[in-house]
Amino acid sequence: MSLLGALLLLGGCGTTQENPPTGNNPGEQPAQEDKFADYLAYQDNTRYVYEGQGNEYASYTTYVDYSTGDRVQLRTNNGGTEMVRVLVLDAGQIIQQLAQGETYYRENLTKSSKLNSKGEVLLKEPLTKGTTWTLPDNRKRTITNVDMELSTPSGNYKVIEVTTEGEDSAVMDYYAPNVGLVKSVFKGTDNYEVTSTLSKLEKSTPLVQNVKAYYPNIDDGKIHTTTIQLSFKTNDITKQVFEQEFKKKAANQGKLIGDNVKIKSLHLNQDGRVYVDFTKNLVAEMNAGAGYEGMILQSIANTLGDYYGVSEVNLTLEGEPYASGHVEMKKGEFFKVDHKNVVEKS
């Protein structure tokens, strides 16, 4: 991804909610009439579509992974990468405390140890013209206009204009209460300009991820792949979505876990491994011979390993190493993602 593409992701990822009514009577400083928290208001289960001009990465979509009152986690896809950002409302400031690229898996990072409380301040009080602050990279950010009329394909808004000045460039971001960012304009040297503008809100739309899943085939003794669609609403728990999917039968294949099995926890650890903990009835409801059990475990490891982009999976039973009559894992021992016995879907 180009440097400009990264800039657009970091400084111009959209946030939207329902369009506010237009035609309000303007006041002297109407921006102050809005609650500051309104600028961190996001609509659940809605995809925000931005149309871009001037750069291949200027068009993007944004979805709210998680929303917890004073913080939100946004997922942005610009066709080149997916980035996750966490924005936090703190002491009259909206701070971007995390911006993590190449994040194709879904995990709640709103209280992650990766958060930087000093982060990048996107907006701060007072919401009046002239409010200025300095970013960690020494760029200057200023509220340069309030109560400004702005028309976009998604509606007409009264916005706050925030200008970020660099050595040889400037970025203007336009925020509306109860909507968020509705437009960004990057201006560089030689009249170079890139814009991203909110074009539409697709409401009642879940995040859908196409995921490669692995299932054992008892007929040929091999593991076969298939593509499954995982559907996430805002604040859905990833382990529960996988649990439901693992209980389904794939075409001409069996299930990976029994109907009464639960995934107690699932996360990507700081050591670069996936940790998944099942209830102990995983073994009892598997009811499989040694060979088939091995293929089931390998299928689970491959599916989760590929999804999180790692090569090792720690699979436990209620906190203890996996143990059955056929497979005995030691503490600290991991299942390796292995594609040697895999038949790829044609």
Side-chain angles (χ1 to χ4, degrees):
M1 183 175 64
S2 69
L3 177 62
L4 179 56
L7 173 64
L8 288 168
L9 282 171
L10 290 172
C13 290
T15 67
T16 57
Q17 206 179 49
E18 293 185 6
N19 294 350
T22 57
N24 295 331
N25 293 327
E28 183 177 355
Q29 291 291 352
Q32 291 184 327
E33 297 175 3
D34 305 307
K35 292 185 295 184
F36 188 68
D38 290 344
Y39 292 89
L40 195 70
Y42 298 87
Q43 186 171 353
D44 294 347
N45 309 317
T46 300
R47 185 167 67 161
Y48 313 116
V49 181
Y50 291 77
E51 61 181 21
Q53 294 181 337
N55 181 272
E56 61 179 314
Y57 298 116
S59 296
Y60 58 85
T61 60
T62 294
Y63 190 85
V64 183
D65 278 348
Y66 299 94
S67 178
T68 59
D70 67 339
R71 60 195 62 207
V72 295
Q73 178 173 312
L74 304 177
R75 173 176 303 275
T76 297
N77 187 328
N78 70 352
T81 186
E82 285 190 30
M83 172 173 281
V84 165
R85 303 189 306 147
V86 175
L87 310 185
V88 178
L89 180 65
D90 182 35
Q93 301 181 116
I94 295 177
I95 308 172
Q96 178 178 279
Q97 295 192 357
L98 177 70
Q100 181 173 288
E102 303 293 330
T103 306
Y104 303 102
Y105 59 90
R106 187 179 176 279
E107 187 158 301
N108 191 341
L109 300 174
T110 58
K111 294 188 177 179
S112 166
S113 60
K114 297 179 180 181
L115 298 183
N116 176 8
S117 61
K118 295 183 179 179
E120 178 183 341
V121 177
L122 303 181
L123 193 62
K124 71 182 302 182
E125 293 182 311
L127 298 180
T128 56
K129 186 175 180 179
T131 299
T132 302
W133 61 100
T134 302
L135 301 180
D137 60 3
N138 291 321
R139 286 180 298 155
K140 186 173 73 171
R141 185 163 283 167
T142 305
I143 296 177
T144 47
N145 209 338
V146 296
D147 197 29
M148 176 181 174
E149 298 283 352
L150 182 65
S151 178
T152 76
S154 63
N156 300 321
Y157 305 94
K158 288 187 177 181
V159 300
I160 292 175
E161 179 187 66
V162 179
T163 300
T164 306
E165 297 178 83
E167 289 186 6
D168 54 4
S169 66
V171 178
M172 281 67 71
D173 293 319
Y174 300 90
Y175 298 93
N178 299 312
V179 180
L181 185 69
V182 295
K183 186 173 183 177
S184 288
V185 180
F186 172 92
K187 292 186 177 181
T189 57
D190 299 325
N191 296 318
Y192 181 54
E193 183 172 302
V194 179
T195 63
S196 299
T197 306
L198 181 63
S199 64
K200 59 182 175 179
L201 305 175
E202 296 178 348
K203 301 180 181 181
S204 301
T205 302
L207 171 70
V208 176
Q209 294 182 324
N210 292 318
V211 175
K212 180 189 284 188
Y214 296 76
Y215 291 88
N217 187 305
I218 195 170
D219 294 327
D220 62 9
K222 295 184 179 298
I223 295 171
H224 290 240
T225 66
T226 188
T227 300
I228 59 175
Q229 285 193 333
L230 300 185
S231 180
F232 297 97
K233 296 179 180 179
T234 299
N235 290 332
D236 272 355
I237 300 173
T238 302
K239 69 175 182 179
Q240 293 177 350
V241 175
F242 268 106
E243 178 186 300
Q244 294 168 5
E245 194 62 40
F246 283 173
K247 292 178 181 179
K248 297 178 182 178
K249 288 185 177 181
N252 301 319
Q253 320 293 337
K255 298 182 292 187
L256 294 182
I257 64 176
D259 292 337
N260 300 308
V261 178
K262 300 292 184 183
I263 297 179
K264 294 175 65 66
S265 63
L266 172 65
H267 71 280
L268 176 63
N269 202 45
Q270 292 184 351
D271 62 6
R273 299 182 177 99
V274 170
Y275 284 68
V276 57
D277 188 45
F278 290 92
T279 50
K280 289 183 177 179
N281 57 347
L282 173 67
V283 175
E285 294 201 19
M286 192 179 294
N287 191 26
Y292 195 67
E293 178 182 353
M295 288 197 296
I296 289 175
L297 295 173
Q298 191 64 61
S299 295
I300 293 172
N302 284 2
T303 301
L304 295 178
D306 281 6
Y307 179 73
Y308 283 93
V310 302
S311 60
E312 292 182 328
V313 176
N314 184 348
L315 193 158
T316 54
L317 300 176
E318 300 186 21
E320 298 296 326
Y322 182 89
S324 68
H326 307 121
V327 179
E328 302 288 334
M329 301 292 287
K330 297 178 181 178
K331 188 173 183 178
E333 191 174 2
F334 304 93
F335 288 91
K336 301 276 189 180
V337 174
D338 190 341
H339 302 100
K340 287 184 294 188
N341 193 41
V342 170
V343 176
E344 297 285 348
K345 180 181 179 180
S346 57

